[in-house]
Amino acid sequence: MDAHADTVGLAQTPVSGLTIIRSTQPSDLQHAIPNPLICLVLQGTKLVTLGKETYKFAAGSSLLITADVPTVSQITHASTDKPYMALVLDLEPVVISDLVLGMKMVPRVSGAAVRYDAIDTDVQDAALRLMKLLDRPESLPVLHSQLVREMHYWLLSGRHGEAIRRLGAPESREQRISRSVAILRADFRKTLPVELLASEAEMSISSFYQHFRAVTSLSPLQFQKQLRLIEARRLMVSRGLSASSAAFDVGYESVSQFSREYRRLFGLSPSRDKESAKKVLHTK
C-alpha cells in the first residue's frame, strides 16, 4: 500500500477494478454513487452513511455494496504514523453469474444493498496475492483475471456470499436496472428520456420508476442530479473550475439552479465548498 498509493490518497492500480485508498488524516464528507464493490479496511476507521443508517468500519472490516446507491463517507481515524488504508475491488456481475452457476448456488434476489462484516481469511489471502502483482507487472496479463475470479469465489464462499449472489441472478431486477444506470453514468450530462431508460431495463415506465427507486433509493432524475453534482465538485476541486463552468460542463443550464441543488446535497454553496476543500488538500 505504501509503495503504490499516490500523494492524493486514491490510486487506480494496473489491476482492473482494484483501487488503493491511503490517507494520513481524517477526511471531509465524501458523496458518491459507487458501483457494486467490496472494500477491505486494513487500518484506520471510516464511517459510511446510506439513508438513515450509518456503518462504522475499522481495521479488519469489509464493506459490501451490491447496488448503485448514494453514500456519504468520512475517514475518521488516520494519522501520519497510522494512515487509513483500504483496498476497493469492483464486483463483476458476469464473473459472479458464472461462479454462481458453477457452484450450484441459488441466486439471491433481495436484501440490503450495504452490509459489513469481518474480512474472511481466504479473501484477505487472495487480496494480498492480487496486490503482489503490482510489484510484478509482467505477471498481470497472465494472472490478473484468474486472481480476480478467485477473489470473487472466496467472497461468494464467505460471509458476504448470500448478498453477492444477487448480482449473479440472471435478468434480476438489479441487473435490469443496472443497464439503465450504465446509460445514466455514461451520458449524465444529457437530457435522457425516461422511455429510453425504461426500455433498456425492459420495463414499463411505471414499473421502471418503482424498481429504480427500490434498487438505488433515488428516482432516475435524482440519480442523474447527484451524478452531475458529484462530478461538478470534482471539477472544481481537482481542476479549479469555477462554479458556473462546472455547472455548464455537467449539463446544467442555470447556474442558480445548480447552486441551490449543490447546497442541498453538500450543505455548502459551491464557492464555499471549493474553498473548504482547498484548505483540506493544502494541509495534506
Side-chain angles (χ1 to χ4, degrees):
M1 289 283 292
D2 284 333
H4 294 281
D6 61 16
T7 56
V8 178
L10 181 68
Q12 301 295 329
T13 72
V15 177
S16 178
L18 181 67
T19 303
I20 295 172
I21 302 174
R22 182 183 184 278
S23 179
T24 56
Q25 64 180 31
S27 70
D28 58 352
L29 295 177
Q30 299 292 324
H31 293 71
I33 305 181
N35 294 308
L37 58 79
I38 184 76
C39 175
L40 310 181
V41 179
L42 309 180
Q43 189 167 269
T45 306
K46 189 173 193 174
L47 297 179
V48 177
T49 299
L50 169 67
K52 296 181 180 180
E53 296 292 329
T54 297
Y55 306 87
K56 180 179 179 181
F57 299 93
S61 298
S62 57
L63 161 67
L64 173 71
I65 299 179
T66 58
D68 301 78
V69 291
T71 61
V72 182
S73 62
Q74 183 177 31
I75 297 171
T76 55
H77 287 86
S79 65
T80 303
D81 293 336
K82 296 190 68 174
Y84 171 83
M85 293 184 179
L87 295 179
V88 178
L89 180 69
D90 292 337
L91 297 175
E92 299 185 14
V94 173
V95 174
I96 292 171
S97 295
D98 187 48
L99 286 171
V100 166
L101 182 63
M103 296 165 74
K104 295 182 170 55
M105 302 174 100
V106 177
R108 182 183 175 121
V109 295
S110 63
V114 176
R115 56 176 291 167
Y116 70 97
D117 215 321
I119 301 175
D120 289 298
T121 302
D122 292 322
V123 171
Q124 182 173 298
D125 179 59
L128 175 59
R129 285 182 283 116
L130 199 56
M131 282 290 289
K132 285 183 176 180
L133 294 184
L134 302 184
D135 291 325
R136 304 186 67 178
E138 72 281 357
S139 66
L140 278 170
V142 178
L143 299 178
H144 162 231
S145 295
Q146 67 187 59
L147 277 177
V148 168
R149 182 179 175 84
E150 182 188 345
M151 182 92 163
H152 281 72
Y153 172 83
W154 291 121
L155 287 168
L156 279 166
S157 300
R159 295 181 174 93
H160 291 304
E162 287 192 14
I164 293 176
R165 288 182 216 171
R166 66 191 297 173
L167 295 174
E171 288 304 294
S172 66
R173 176 183 67 178
E174 285 78 11
Q175 284 208 7
R176 292 162 71 184
I177 292 298
S178 72
R179 297 201 293 264
S180 300
V181 166
I183 293 177
L184 282 166
R185 287 188 182 277
D187 296 322
F188 65 84
R189 293 175 174 84
K190 301 177 182 178
T191 300
L192 297 170
V194 69
E195 292 81 3
L196 170 67
L197 300 174
S199 174
E200 187 65 24
E202 299 181 20
M203 297 177 180
S204 67
I205 291 177
S206 60
S207 180
F208 174 70
Y209 272 117
Q210 177 185 350
H211 290 301
F212 192 96
R213 184 178 287 277
V215 171
T216 69
S217 79
L218 300 172
S219 70
L221 181 59
Q222 290 170 332
F223 191 93
Q224 184 179 36
K225 282 182 179 180
Q226 287 213 17
L227 289 176
R228 286 180 171 183
L229 293 169
I230 290 167
E231 173 63 8
R233 187 176 192 271
R234 187 192 70 80
L235 292 172
M236 289 190 297
V237 173
S238 64
R239 290 176 48 186
L241 265 63
S242 65
S244 58
S245 295
F248 294 134
D249 188 274
V250 300
Y252 276 89
E253 297 179 356
S254 167
V255 176
S256 60
Q257 180 187 0
F258 167 74
S259 297
R260 286 195 304 273
E261 293 180 354
Y262 191 100
R263 182 190 291 273
R264 193 175 299 131
L265 179 60
F266 297 116
L268 293 172
S269 68
S271 57
R272 288 188 61 187
D273 190 37
K274 180 180 177 181
E275 289 303 313
S276 176
K278 278 185 177 179
K279 290 177 182 178
V280 172
L281 289 174
H282 184 69
T283 60
K284 289 187 178 181

